[in-house]
Amino acid sequence: MAKTGQHKNTKNKAKHSKLLAQKNNKKKLEIETRKTRLKAILQGVKSQRKE
């Protein structure tokens, strides 16, 4: 006989995928901010060399 009601793992799977998405988005954001900081530092160094 088939079970009635909600499936066993659907809530946990949804929560897990949500948390993994948050983790991946946080990593991407950190990488992007690091890149922008590095670019700003490099531009500052280049402008100091030109002067």
Side-chain angles (χ1 to χ4, degrees):
M1 263 177 48
K3 292 183 180 179
T4 58
Q6 283 190 335
H7 295 288
K8 183 178 176 185
N9 286 329
T10 54
K11 289 184 180 178
N12 281 340
K13 286 181 182 179
K15 187 176 181 181
H16 181 71
S17 61
K18 179 183 172 185
L19 292 175
L20 283 180
Q22 285 178 350
K23 180 180 175 183
N24 291 335
N25 289 337
K26 185 177 178 182
K27 277 188 178 180
K28 287 179 185 178
L29 182 63
E30 288 176 355
I31 290 170
E32 289 298 320
T33 55
R34 190 177 297 130
K35 282 183 183 180
T36 55
R37 285 184 195 151
L38 184 61
K39 285 181 182 180
I41 291 170
L42 289 176
Q43 286 178 351
V45 170
K46 286 182 182 179
S47 66
Q48 286 178 353
R49 286 184 182 175
K50 287 183 181 179
E51 292 176 355

